[in-house]
Amino acid sequence: WLAAQSDVPEGRQYAWEAFIGRARQHMHVVFATSPAGDAFRTRCRQFPSLVNCTTIDWYSPWPAEALLDVGIRFLELLNLENLPSAAAVAPLLDFKAAAGGSSATTKPGTPPVVQQAAASGLQATEGADGVGLSAGQTTIVRRVAKFCVEAHKSVEAAAAQYVKKLRRHCYITPKLYLDLLHQYAELLNTARTKLGDDRRRLLEGIGKLADTNATLASMEAQLGGLQPLLLEKTASLKTLAERVKHEQDEAERVAAIVGADETAVAARTAECSKLKEEALADLAAVLPALDAAIAALDSLDKADIVEMKTFIKPPALVQLTMEGVCILLQEKTDWDSAKRILSDTKFIQRLIEYDKDNITERVRKELARVVADPSFTPDQVGKQSKAAMSICLWVRAMDTYTTVYRVVEPKRKALAAAQAALDASNVNLHGKRAELRATRDKVAAAQQQLADTHKELASLQCQAELCNRRFGRAGKLTTLLNDELGRWGKGAEDLETELELLVGNALMAAAVVNYLGPFPGPYRAELIPQWLKCCQDLNIPLTIPNFSLSSVLSSPIELLEWNCQGLPTDSHSIDNSLIATRGVRWPLMIDPQDQASRWVRAKEAKGNLVIVRASDPALLQHVEAAIRLGHPLLLEQLGDWTLPSGMDDLFGKQPDKQAGRCTVRLGDADVDYDSNFRLYMVTHLVNPHYLPEAFIRVNLIDFAVTRSVGGGCRR
């Protein structure tokens, strides 16, 4: 920028002067402060430039036209003519604006008309007559909005008298008016949902009684139809039982025959098993030697066979070994034949796969001559040739196997004959078992049919008995509930009447909760009749003259519980407790006699109440722990003028929701906000003076006990 200015000479001093001139031309400072208290007056005396060098713009309170227009624009969204459902009111509960002192500020998302009225504070915008709404709704919206304006103005006047008479300050700002609208939407939604649910339950009960009467007639007809069925099922059950007995006798006869056959087959099976075991025992004696010979043959390699073939004139035992091989293979027993056999590439395979079960008697006798030689042993043969030793083992194993096989063969033939007879018996037995199985299946089917008939008969009898009992009980119940039916009908009508009066009742309750907390009993007793008369003049539906805050916002059970926890039973204390628990702002209770503190301690004892003093150096740490864990917090011994610093977002009930987290700004940190958190504040000062910025953040409630003229205690 400096380089682009041709009229600025070069040099540090000229550049600085150009900067100062630009800053003076473009920089604007806005200083906002509240005129309440001595702080502004003191600063003006200490810094005269605040008066001499500034343009003072004093914001006046909102005129009635602005208040009316804001109220109309907000109430149009509530659909008061048709009493909104929870879904229609819930989005409106997110609306919350802030206004303090004689000026006003708004949150992002505030309806444009509220922003405009809050900014100007002077005039109403176009469309204040509710363009686009039905005539009836426009009428009720304007009437409710006018009441809100009248209530706000009347509280402003009462606050002025309050200061003059009792020297107690109560600042009524536009923020309280916006809170009134917000409080009204919240109470309207809550009360409408509760009354609607109660009425629906009563109507459902009446409908159930009507259904019960219709069911009684149906039961009577059902009982008449069950008697013929019972007689028919009883006769069918008797016939079926006779058939089942006949089929059971047939099954027992077939089972006896099958049992005898099974005994014979078992005896033959035992005989076969004995023959098989004897044959296997005889073979078991020779099989290890045979396996050893086969293993020795497997260990031979080509070099061992070549070694034997190189003998031109073999040693005697080698010659004898090969002679035994030639006998078994039914070849000539000379050495040339032996060498030819050895030259066969499948020589070892022929020995391993030799058919040892079919050795002829001639071969056995010739082989016995070779084996009978005393020197024909594996050890002696192994001294002359390693390969011959393995072949010697095989030759001797074949001889031993042949000897044993002659003994085993007759047993195997006997076993085969016995097995054939056993197979024939098994086939016969299988047929008879199939016949028995079919007979038993028939018996089982008949028994199942009999059992099903028994169950059906028992079910019919149970139904008849159950119908009789239900008929009797239902008759007694309907007789006893005839009087209750009338009471339920009257209760549903009363609830419907309450729903019709809900517009005014919720409006009065919102005004009391939002405005009357700081005022003592006499002021409340003066303002509430004025508001009731205003509602009556504006033709707003309302419970007159018996309006009660407790009847709109609580139940007798809840009040009884609070009384047991130490809350006094007078109407002023009950109203204070409802203002503290139902308001849209956290309660700050003026409690010089410590009554409110004791009640809060008893009420929140089961919720892990956190108690901390405002002067505690670790105040923010205690508050942060309570917010994170959702524990109620009792902040005691608050001082005068202002609230503890660093807790503005918490006082404003303005948690932020980001990425699924709900947080609130506490000091310089964001703290996870648990929706179960509740805040109670108590000051023990008799006449505390809080500035407007405190009034817009908390709901000041006078719990002080005073003495009446007659000597009794009053509130």
Side-chain angles (χ1 to χ4, degrees):
W1 173 83
L2 187 60
Q5 305 301 315
S6 58
D7 58 340
V8 178
E10 294 185 0
R12 186 180 184 87
Q13 180 64 27
Y14 296 110
W16 176 253
E17 291 177 356
F19 168 73
I20 293 298
R22 180 177 172 82
R24 184 180 291 111
Q25 181 181 0
H26 293 283
M27 186 171 68
H28 300 276
V29 177
V30 177
F31 178 71
T33 183
S34 172
D38 297 331
F40 180 58
R41 187 182 304 107
T42 302
R43 289 194 182 98
C44 289
R45 287 199 303 265
Q46 292 177 345
F47 307 102
S49 298
L50 291 177
V51 178
N52 300 331
C53 300
T54 61
T55 299
I56 299 178
D57 187 1
W58 192 287
Y59 276 76
S60 302
W62 285 10
E65 293 82 358
L67 295 174
L68 179 64
D69 188 66
V70 170
I72 289 175
R73 290 296 183 178
F74 183 86
L75 295 171
E76 284 174 353
L77 305 176
L78 296 182
N79 192 15
L80 297 179
E81 186 70 18
N82 298 321
L83 280 181
S85 63
V89 177
L92 304 175
L93 300 182
D94 293 334
F95 158 70
K96 191 174 182 181
S102 299
S103 60
T105 59
T106 57
K107 281 183 58 179
T110 305
V113 64
V114 178
Q115 296 178 358
Q116 182 177 354
S120 65
L122 296 175
Q123 60 185 2
T125 59
E126 297 179 1
D129 291 334
V131 177
L133 300 177
S134 65
Q137 185 174 354
T138 302
T139 302
I140 189 65
V141 166
R142 288 190 62 83
R143 283 182 282 161
V144 172
K146 286 181 180 179
F147 171 83
C148 293
V149 174
E150 293 297 330
H152 186 78
K153 292 299 183 181
S154 65
V155 174
E156 284 182 343
Q161 295 180 5
Y162 195 42
V163 174
K164 291 180 181 179
K165 292 183 179 180
L166 300 180
R167 309 301 298 171
R168 293 187 178 183
H169 295 272
C170 179
Y171 298 98
I172 307 301
T173 67
K175 168 62 167 54
L176 297 185
Y177 181 76
L178 301 178
D179 281 347
L180 169 63
L181 300 176
H182 176 69
Q183 181 86 60
Y184 179 49
E186 185 176 284
L187 293 182
L188 189 66
N189 174 55
T190 303
R192 191 263 178 188
T193 302
K194 179 180 180 300
L195 293 176
D197 291 343
D198 293 344
R199 181 172 178 270
R200 184 172 59 254
R201 281 195 295 268
L202 289 176
L203 293 178
E204 288 176 355
I206 295 173
K208 292 293 183 183
L209 285 177
D211 293 342
T212 302
N213 290 328
T215 304
L216 283 176
S218 175
M219 285 183 182
E220 189 173 4
Q222 185 179 0
L223 277 173
L226 284 177
Q227 295 302 326
L229 286 176
L230 287 173
L231 296 176
E232 179 184 351
K233 289 298 178 182
T234 302
S236 175
L237 184 65
K238 182 178 179 181
T239 303
L240 189 58
E242 294 176 355
R243 188 171 63 128
V244 168
K245 186 176 184 308
H246 173 72
E247 292 181 353
Q248 282 180 338
D249 294 340
E250 179 65 18
E252 290 175 359
R253 184 186 65 79
V254 176
I257 297 174
V258 172
D261 291 346
E262 286 178 344
T263 303
V265 169
R268 288 174 182 168
T269 302
E271 181 182 356
C272 289
S273 298
K274 181 178 179 183
L275 291 174
K276 186 177 180 180
E277 290 174 359
E278 291 177 356
L280 291 177
D282 293 339
L283 288 175
V286 71
L287 288 178
L290 182 61
D291 293 339
I294 297 300
L297 290 175
D298 287 337
S299 65
L300 293 179
D301 55 15
K302 188 175 181 180
D304 296 332
I305 303 300
V306 171
E307 176 190 350
M308 291 183 64
K309 289 194 299 181
T310 56
F311 291 135
I312 298 175
K313 186 177 181 181
L317 293 179
V318 174
Q319 174 72 33
L320 185 61
T321 300
M322 290 307 300
E323 184 179 348
V325 173
C326 291
I327 292 171
L328 288 170
L329 297 179
Q330 297 186 12
E331 300 284 349
K332 294 181 180 181
T333 58
D334 57 82
W335 182 245
D336 291 335
S337 298
K339 289 174 68 177
R340 180 172 53 78
I341 293 172
L342 290 172
S343 299
D344 188 358
T345 57
K346 296 183 178 180
F347 170 66
I348 300 300
Q349 191 67 23
R350 288 180 66 187
L351 297 185
I352 293 174
E353 297 177 354
Y354 185 74
D355 187 7
K356 55 186 177 295
D357 292 339
N358 295 314
I359 298 176
T360 63
E361 185 64 21
R362 182 182 64 80
V363 173
R364 188 189 66 77
K365 290 180 179 180
E366 291 181 4
L367 184 61
R369 175 181 58 79
V370 175
V371 177
D373 191 332
S375 61
F376 186 67
T377 62
D379 294 336
Q380 294 296 326
V381 174
K383 293 178 181 179
Q384 296 181 1
S385 173
K386 176 183 176 183
M389 181 183 70
S390 298
I391 297 173
C392 174
L393 287 171
W394 180 78
V395 171
R396 294 186 68 89
M398 290 297 104
D399 178 68
T400 305
Y401 184 83
T402 302
T403 303
V404 173
Y405 189 76
R406 291 180 63 194
V407 178
V408 171
E409 182 61 18
K411 296 181 180 180
R412 293 180 63 181
K413 292 180 179 179
L415 175 61
Q419 187 66 41
L422 178 61
D423 292 341
S425 299
N426 280 329
V427 171
N428 185 34
L429 179 61
H430 179 71
K432 292 182 179 180
R433 282 178 174 171
E435 181 183 356
L436 176 60
R437 188 162 46 251
T439 304
R440 286 179 174 173
D441 289 343
K442 289 175 63 178
V443 173
Q447 288 178 338
Q448 182 63 40
Q449 185 178 0
L450 181 63
D452 292 342
T453 306
H454 269 296
K455 288 182 180 178
E456 189 173 354
L457 179 61
S459 176
L460 290 174
Q461 291 174 343
C462 182
Q463 288 180 22
E465 184 180 357
L466 183 61
C467 281
N468 275 322
R469 290 202 303 267
R470 285 180 176 176
F471 189 77
R473 287 198 297 263
K476 292 179 181 178
L477 181 62
T478 53
T479 302
L480 294 174
L481 289 181
N482 281 334
D483 296 337
E484 199 70 15
L485 184 63
R487 190 179 68 84
W488 288 353
K490 185 178 182 304
E493 293 176 359
D494 293 342
L495 289 175
E496 185 175 3
T497 303
E498 290 186 32
L499 282 171
E500 294 173 355
L501 300 177
L502 184 58
V503 173
N505 287 338
L507 185 61
M508 277 294 301
V512 172
V513 171
N514 192 64
Y515 286 124
L516 298 190
F519 294 97
Y523 282 82
R524 298 185 189 182
E526 181 180 348
L527 286 171
I528 291 178
Q530 293 180 14
W531 293 349
L532 292 175
K533 184 177 185 304
C534 181
C535 285
Q536 193 171 9
D537 294 341
L538 292 173
N539 199 22
I540 296 175
L542 178 73
T543 302
I544 295 177
N546 298 322
F547 171 80
S548 169
L549 184 65
S550 59
S551 63
V552 178
L553 299 184
S554 66
S555 64
I557 296 177
E558 184 180 31
L559 295 180
L560 179 61
E561 182 179 0
W562 287 354
N563 294 146
C564 294
Q565 292 165 350
L567 182 70
T569 57
D570 61 283
S571 61
H572 187 89
S573 297
I574 292 174
D575 289 349
N576 281 341
S577 64
L578 293 173
I579 294 172
T581 55
R582 303 296 195 268
V584 295
R585 302 186 300 276
W586 297 121
L588 170 54
M589 295 171 280
I590 302 173
D591 187 30
Q593 287 84 18
D594 206 31
Q595 279 197 133
S597 292
R598 289 197 299 269
W599 170 64
V600 171
R601 290 170 188 261
K603 177 179 178 294
E604 301 292 352
K606 297 180 180 179
N608 298 319
L609 177 66
V610 178
I611 303 174
V612 60
R613 294 185 177 183
S615 58
D616 193 332
L619 171 63
L620 291 183
Q621 288 85 339
H622 291 297
V623 175
E624 178 180 352
I627 293 174
R628 289 184 186 275
L629 299 176
H631 294 164
L633 174 67
L634 177 59
L635 186 57
E636 293 186 321
Q637 297 186 3
L638 266 71
D640 216 347
W641 297 102
T642 60
L643 301 175
S645 60
M647 300 169 61
D648 291 346
D649 286 352
L650 179 62
F651 289 140
K653 287 189 177 181
Q654 297 175 345
D656 294 327
K657 294 183 179 180
Q658 296 179 354
R661 292 180 57 201
C662 189
T663 61
V664 67
R665 192 74 176 176
L666 189 65
D668 57 353
D670 290 331
V671 180
D672 289 333
Y673 185 84
D674 192 305
S675 58
N676 294 320
F677 172 76
R678 295 178 298 280
L679 174 62
Y680 303 90
M681 292 169 283
V682 173
T683 178
H684 297 301
L685 300 176
V686 176
N687 185 17
H689 183 189
Y690 291 103
L691 297 180
E693 52 263 31
F695 273 83
I696 67 175
R697 288 179 173 83
V698 299
N699 200 352
L700 194 67
I701 306 172
D702 185 8
F703 260 90
V705 178
T706 59
R707 187 167 297 279
S708 64
V709 178
C713 291
R714 71 176 184 182
R715 295 188 169 278

